[in-house]
Amino acid sequence: EEFVRRDSAVDKGDIESLRKFSWQEYMKKRKQKKVLELKDDIEDEPYLFGDEKLTEREIREFRYKREIYELIKKSTQEEDNVGEYRMPDAYDQQGSVDQEKRFAVSVQRYRDMGSAEKMNPFAEQEAWEDHQIENAALKFGAKNKEVSDNYEFVFEDQIDFIKASVLAGDNYEDEMHAKPSQDSAGKSAFHMLQEDRKALPIYTYRDQLLNAVKDHQVLIIVGETGSGKTTQIPQYLHEAGYTKLGKVGCTQPRRVAAMSVAARVAQEMGGKLGHEVGYSIRFEDCTSEKTILKYMTDGMLLRELLGEPDLGSYSVIIVDEAHERTLHTDILFGLVKDIARARPDLKLLISSATMDAEKFSDFFDQAPIFRFPGRRYPVDICFTTAPEADYMDAAITTVLTIHVKEPLGDVLVFLPGQEEIEAVEENLKHKIRGLGTKIRELIICPIYANLPSELQAKIFEPTPEGARKVVLATNIAETSLTIDGIKYVVDPGFSKMKSYNPRTGMESLLVTPISKASATQRTGRAGRTSPGKCYRLYTAFNYYNDLEDNTVPEIQRTNLASVVLSLKSLGIHNLLNFDFMDPPPSEALIKSLELLFALGALNQLGELTKAGRRMAEFPLDPMLSKMIVVSDKYKCSDEIISIAAMLSIGPSIFYRPKDKQVHADNAMKNFHVGNVGDHIAFLKIYNSWKETNYSTQWCYENYIQVRSMKRARDIRDQLEGLLERVEIDVSSNANELDSIRKSIVAGFFPHTAKLQKNGSYRTVKHPQTVHIHPASGLSQVLPRWVVYHQLVLTSKEYMRQVTELKPEWLIEIAPHYYQLKD
Ligand code: ADP
Ligand code: MG
């Protein structure tokens, strides 16, 4: 019953010996061996291409070998560079940064920032901060005579802030650009929207911009967040006639932004969303034949390219929020650059909120940069004087402090993710209830990706007179969405980021300290309509010494399997030659090729297999797609697509109100009867809901979010449609739970772990200690072997959504990956 990963160090000995084992040394040796093997083959090149006639297959095999050879050689060189990956100079002045070290440092920083006593002993820091305090112009939150007694108890735990600097506003003539009078008498809503449009900073530059677009095929556009780039440019292009030649497409890194902006633009154009103006996001297409302005996620444009490689139906493509440098945006850069060369009639606009656009210009063959000034009022920047033990508590205290002490004006709080937002929302509501009528009305608006669109619109509603709005947002409000009226920003200094450990090939969602560039963007959000204040819930010392200058582009810290599969299906075989703005580490490319090979999506030539082509049809992670494709064999595609849909929704399916946690947990237990595992429990939930004819009442009774379920149902419908497209019958095998489990294992066999004596788990591939997430139905059961969906790093490395596994399945399903230990 001992299983080890094949072709790894582990099969050579006891797991313990791994402790002493240097992965770097091992990988180096393994690579050297592979390089030598490949070199032998490749050195024959002139001979092979000489007299001897090669079959097509041999030529392709040769080319693939050469690609791998070069990748490996490159990654060996990267390692020789003091064992570090080289980063582009613009992103790291010191020249190189070790990804793995970065990962470890992030983890450590995350833990440190949450632990005041660990940070304090540093005399250096204290001295530095004393100095800052002396210079402080403003003391915030300290006991203040003017505060009425009523408020005293709000500050049971006060936070001291010092004002350290000011984010300067832009120089502009206030009167000239001032908003037209808000006098609504006799004006229609439509008319007022038109006036709003004219008040945006970009309006002054409308004609210049259109001229620049006329004169140049590719244009980089740079302007401050909120200046009107996303909402106005597509409309200007439409007004100038570009939509007569084809659609105008505008990509957004985030789903919520695509939806919300499209809704706004539809309103401004006086039409219905989905008609002239539409949006397209994964699993949701809100466009029609009539659509001429199409907002979409960058990932969706990538998908569209699979069906329409020249983007023939578009006259203009705008890659918006380019500064975000998401994985999909980066891949799009390379692809649209190529298309623009082949299609001189296609206009390409790259739009960004950061000022260092030279990099984009360089990449797009020195494309001209169109910059226009924004309009921002100065913002005071305050830091805490000491590290905060709990950033969520600190955020709540700060919001309440602002609410009772500062003049009216809305507050924007940045939190890492949905769970944190929900926790803060609940806590804040609880505290407000406790204060009753002693304070003014505080309206709480959460905003995150999974929030249903009706509620998303709430953040844009004007705040009633005398009240204050507090928006609890993820990174989405950093540059993608502009909310007018924000005067105060609360920045705890974290965001949730995918983090990829190139050694183990494992990806985690990790609450990570933001970069200085992000901190500046967040601060700027407070100065949109009047001078503002930004409260950073970390010390100035933290800021200057611990935060990196810029966020590392996602392509350099993520698992690439999914985009490699897309690129392969686009016919891009040699990834080495792909035009990356910042190439991913070769190691990560190799890892993704290895994974796709293990999943059977690529053959030894690196070509798409039939299964790979089918997998590429699904807009999902390759492991999920594999699970679906393979379910055909186990005759349980019906069940598997339900599970896949539920997995795509994730933890937001459940809710546990603080006062009813026991009830909620009991409701959940019903679905876990027999310790079936989280995947099967998802299936049971979905099927029970279906049996009640998708009843809302049933969801309430079972503490399940009805909106999440509706979304799961939509996703499931689409997956069903895609099954038909890849010619897989919908077949049901509900009583054979092991068939369902085997399908799961066939997709997720690289994610397996074995129980250890101390109750923790050790992953089989690249041994690492992990734990079952407390929310899992198996967290008390602790099966010997498990397959998991996802790793999430919070206080520990947790496996989320786990199912028990029979170890012999590994040999049955993935004999190329696992073998019995002798
Ligand atoms: P940029 O892309 O340059 O950051 P936008 O075009 O997104 O700027 O925003 C321009 C203006 O439109 C902002 O003042 C913003 O508040 C407003 N706006 C954008 N989306 C919405 C919406 N859904 N509801 C109301 N106002 C919106
Ligand atoms: Mg924008």
Side-chain angles (χ1 to χ4, degrees):
E1 236 205 16
E2 275 308 295
F3 287 88
V4 290
R5 197 190 151 195
R6 231 186 190 181
D7 187 27
S8 80
V10 196
D11 45 2
K12 297 203 186 64
D14 174 23
I15 290 218
E16 273 312 300
S17 73
L18 257 176
R19 290 236 169 95
K20 293 176 231 137
F21 184 84
S22 155
W23 268 99
Q24 228 155 14
E25 274 305 303
Y26 172 73
M27 286 305 288
K28 211 159 164 178
K29 279 199 194 116
R30 198 178 129 195
K31 275 184 214 151
Q32 277 163 358
K33 196 171 137 230
K34 222 167 179 175
V35 165
L36 285 179
E37 272 170 30
L38 287 165
K39 204 163 169 225
D40 277 350
D41 293 343
I42 288 167
E43 271 178 350
D44 291 337
E45 178 176 23
Y47 164 73
L48 285 173
F49 281 102
D51 343 306
E52 206 170 305
K53 256 208 165 319
L54 288 182
T55 63
E56 183 120 327
R57 188 186 158 87
E58 281 167 329
I59 293 175
R60 273 177 296 159
E61 179 164 15
F62 175 77
R63 289 202 181 125
Y64 185 57
K65 273 188 185 161
R66 189 167 58 191
E67 182 184 348
I68 297 283
Y69 170 73
E70 278 166 21
L71 270 174
I72 294 176
K73 219 170 76 187
K74 220 169 121 222
S75 93
T76 322
Q77 284 160 1
E78 279 163 5
E79 261 175 24
D80 287 344
N81 285 336
V82 227
E84 293 179 350
Y85 291 108
R86 272 198 85 79
M87 306 293 279
D89 291 339
Y91 280 85
D92 182 33
Q93 259 126 23
Q94 281 119 44
S96 59
V97 167
D98 183 340
Q99 277 213 335
E100 204 174 321
K101 220 167 11 185
R102 178 200 302 288
F103 180 82
V105 169
S106 294
V107 175
Q108 199 48 49
R109 280 264 303 119
Y110 169 68
R111 291 178 178 148
D112 284 350
M113 273 176 83
S115 149
E117 69 269 62
K118 261 193 225 156
M119 297 300 289
N120 253 342
F122 299 114
E124 188 192 357
Q125 174 176 354
E126 280 177 359
W128 196 86
E129 265 153 13
D130 283 348
H131 175 72
Q132 289 296 315
I133 292 169
E134 275 170 34
N135 292 345
L138 171 129
K139 202 146 192 196
F140 173 86
K143 294 263 189 307
N144 184 332
K145 284 189 212 85
E146 286 152 51
V147 177
S148 89
D149 288 344
N150 268 351
Y151 295 149
E152 275 301 315
F153 66 100
V154 175
F155 311 124
E156 52 205 18
D157 39 22
Q158 289 192 27
I159 300 172
D160 284 337
F161 285 96
I162 53 167
K163 178 174 145 187
S165 56
V166 177
L167 182 68
D170 293 299
N171 284 329
Y172 64 94
E173 298 286 321
D174 210 348
E175 295 77 8
M176 223 175 82
H177 300 284
K179 265 203 165 185
S181 70
Q182 289 292 327
D183 175 19
S184 57
K187 285 181 189 154
S188 68
F190 181 72
H191 188 88
M192 282 183 54
L193 276 176
Q194 296 314 307
E195 294 208 342
D196 281 353
R197 286 187 62 196
K198 290 187 185 144
L200 287 170
I202 198 172
Y203 181 70
T204 325
Y205 304 92
R206 180 182 183 277
D207 296 340
Q208 285 176 42
L209 177 68
L210 285 172
N211 279 335
V213 174
K214 195 170 77 206
D215 294 343
H216 303 280
Q217 190 192 2
V218 185
L219 192 65
I220 319 291
I221 300 171
V222 181
E224 172 89 18
T225 300
S227 55
K229 297 182 299 299
T230 312
T231 52
Q232 303 308 306
I233 295 174
Q235 294 188 74
Y236 295 169
L237 293 165
H238 168 55
E239 289 152 13
Y242 285 96
T243 45
K244 290 198 192 101
L245 312 167
K247 280 177 286 188
V248 170
C250 178
T251 69
Q252 295 293 311
R254 297 192 166 85
R255 216 166 70 198
V256 183
M259 291 162 73
S260 143
V261 167
R264 169 72 173 189
V265 174
Q267 225 179 16
E268 289 183 1
M269 291 190 28
K272 225 178 127 188
L273 185 59
H275 291 183
E276 275 194 313
V277 185
Y279 67 86
S280 167
I281 59 180
R282 196 168 70 137
F283 299 124
E284 196 175 330
D285 183 11
C286 180
T287 62
S288 63
E289 293 286 289
K290 284 185 251 172
T291 302
I292 44 171
L293 300 188
K294 181 165 174 181
Y295 289 90
M296 60 192 127
T297 50
D298 45 11
M300 276 318 285
L301 187 60
L302 203 57
R303 296 243 117 225
E304 277 192 22
L305 271 165
L306 295 177
E308 188 185 45
D310 66 341
L311 294 174
S313 64
Y314 291 90
S315 62
V316 187
I317 291 288
I318 307 171
V319 181
D320 199 6
E321 317 291 344
H323 58 271
E324 292 251 349
R325 302 289 311 276
T326 60
L327 174 62
H328 289 140
T329 290
D330 265 20
I331 298 289
L332 279 178
F333 284 154
L335 294 169
V336 292
K337 178 176 171 183
D338 201 44
I339 296 171
R341 283 188 182 143
R343 263 194 65 193
D345 59 315
L346 179 76
K347 295 286 184 188
L348 183 57
L349 309 182
I350 310 295
S351 133
S352 158
T354 49
M355 293 304 145
D356 54 335
E358 274 73 24
K359 187 165 180 141
F360 297 127
S361 171
D362 287 347
F363 180 77
F364 287 99
D365 304 328
Q366 312 301 323
I369 302 176
F370 188 95
R371 283 174 211 271
F372 64 95
R375 226 176 283 154
R376 200 187 50 223
Y377 294 84
V379 181
D380 289 342
I381 301 175
C382 309
F383 290 97
T384 58
T385 55
E388 280 303 316
D390 179 333
Y391 70 89
M392 295 216 269
D393 265 359
I396 291 164
T397 309
T398 309
V399 168
L400 289 172
T401 314
I402 292 170
H403 189 47
V404 297
K405 283 186 166 182
E406 293 282 328
L408 280 181
D410 297 339
V411 187
L412 173 60
V413 187
F414 286 98
L415 291 163
Q418 179 179 350
E419 285 159 69
E420 291 82 358
I421 289 177
E422 284 172 349
V424 169
E425 182 182 4
E426 197 169 319
N427 199 316
L428 208 48
K429 277 186 175 153
H430 180 75
K431 290 225 160 94
I432 293 170
R433 264 197 301 271
L435 291 168
T437 53
K438 291 195 191 86
I439 56 167
R440 282 185 291 231
E441 188 185 358
L442 188 67
I443 300 163
I444 304 173
C445 305
I447 177 98
Y448 46 80
N450 279 327
L451 192 74
S453 33
E454 319 86 87
L455 296 181
Q456 285 169 18
K458 215 175 121 191
I459 64 164
F460 292 108
E461 280 168 19
T463 312
E465 201 135 331
R468 192 195 299 269
K469 180 160 76 185
V470 49
V471 179
L472 309 175
T474 57
N475 237 357
I476 180 138
E478 202 173 289
T479 56
S480 306
L481 284 186
T482 313
I483 307 153
D484 289 332
I486 299 290
K487 205 173 162 60
Y488 308 95
V489 162
V490 178
D491 173 19
F494 293 107
S495 71
K496 206 169 267 180
M497 282 223 286
K498 255 192 275 170
S499 219
Y500 184 62
N501 184 331
R503 180 175 63 86
T504 58
M506 276 194 230
E507 196 174 40
S508 287
L509 268 180
L510 182 66
V511 177
T512 314
I514 58 171
S515 64
K516 291 191 182 105
S518 272
T520 308
Q521 276 296 340
R522 290 179 172 192
T523 301
R525 305 287 66 75
R528 170 104 179 96
T529 35
S530 68
K533 270 188 198 170
C534 173
Y535 300 96
R536 295 184 173 164
L537 304 181
Y538 39 93
T539 65
F541 183 88
N542 280 151
Y543 174 81
Y544 286 106
N545 295 285
D546 297 335
L547 299 193
E548 304 218 21
D549 287 344
N550 285 287
T551 312
V552 180
E554 189 182 2
I555 197 166
Q556 297 185 326
R557 54 178 168 82
T558 190
N559 168 359
L560 299 167
S562 173
V563 292
V564 167
L565 186 61
S566 300
L567 289 176
K568 289 273 176 186
S569 33
L570 275 170
I572 293 161
H573 297 306
N574 192 340
L575 299 168
L576 259 188
N577 288 352
F578 188 76
D579 199 355
F580 291 110
M581 185 179 270
D582 289 313
S586 322
E587 188 72 66
L589 274 178
I590 296 174
K591 277 265 145 52
S592 55
L593 288 168
E594 276 178 2
L595 175 66
L596 290 172
F597 176 71
L599 290 173
L602 300 181
N603 62 19
Q604 295 104 311
L605 307 179
E607 300 165 327
L608 269 193
T609 59
K610 189 170 176 227
R613 246 189 309 278
R614 286 171 143 187
M615 284 162 64
E617 288 288 335
F618 293 88
L620 299 169
D621 180 90
M623 300 218 266
L624 270 176
S625 319
K626 176 62 192 283
M627 172 180 102
I628 295 177
V629 167
V630 90
S631 68
D632 192 23
K633 177 175 155 195
Y634 294 103
K635 301 273 162 265
C636 57
S637 55
D638 187 58
E639 287 79 16
I640 285 293
I641 56 171
S642 302
I643 293 173
M646 294 289 278
L647 286 169
S648 303
I649 302 297
S652 67
I653 290 166
F654 310 107
Y655 73 101
R656 279 176 95 229
K658 268 234 164 71
D659 46 336
K660 294 216 174 94
Q661 280 181 354
V662 181
H663 295 83
D665 291 346
N666 281 338
M668 227 18 57
K669 278 192 189 122
N670 290 331
F671 301 106
H672 287 287
V673 168
N675 298 324
V676 287
D678 299 315
H679 296 81
I680 304 280
F682 270 163
L683 176 66
K684 284 178 153 184
I685 292 172
Y686 189 86
N687 285 343
S688 313
W689 183 54
K690 189 174 159 193
E691 272 162 32
T692 66
N693 202 14
Y694 309 108
S695 143
T696 303
Q697 183 61 30
W698 180 88
C699 288
Y700 286 136
E701 284 162 10
N702 288 283
Y703 297 88
I704 284 167
Q705 308 258 19
V706 66
R707 288 200 195 83
S708 300
M709 292 305 294
K710 284 188 176 150
R711 199 170 140 70
R713 185 180 164 189
D714 286 346
I715 294 178
R716 193 190 178 285
D717 286 349
Q718 299 216 19
L719 293 178
E720 198 170 329
L722 288 168
L723 277 185
E724 199 179 298
R725 191 144 133 195
V726 299
E727 294 168 346
I728 291 179
D729 292 332
V730 179
S731 45
S732 172
N733 204 348
N735 299 325
E736 280 295 324
L737 291 187
D738 274 358
S739 300
I740 298 171
R741 291 193 182 107
K742 279 184 183 178
S743 293
I744 297 168
V745 172
F748 285 84
F749 59 81
H751 284 182
T752 50
K754 190 184 173 214
L755 183 66
Q756 304 297 298
K757 285 196 189 75
N758 61 4
S760 71
Y761 281 79
R762 198 184 266 271
T763 48
V764 180
K765 176 196 179 191
H766 305 306
Q768 178 181 343
T769 302
V770 294
H771 305 265
I772 295 187
H773 195 279
S776 162
L778 296 180
S779 62
Q780 305 297 317
V781 183
L782 302 181
R784 257 171 81 73
W785 290 88
V786 294
V787 55
Y788 64 88
H789 178 61
Q790 197 181 32
L791 283 183
V792 184
L793 181 61
T794 51
S795 53
K796 285 177 186 168
E797 189 91 51
Y798 282 118
M799 301 180 280
R800 204 167 225 170
Q801 285 103 34
V802 292
T803 283
E804 184 171 2
L805 156 84
K806 292 201 180 96
E808 56 271 25
W809 292 349
L810 292 178
I811 300 295
E812 180 189 326
I813 292 167
H816 55 296
Y817 204 77
Y818 293 101
Q819 67 183 12
L820 272 171
K821 197 168 169 184
D822 38 44

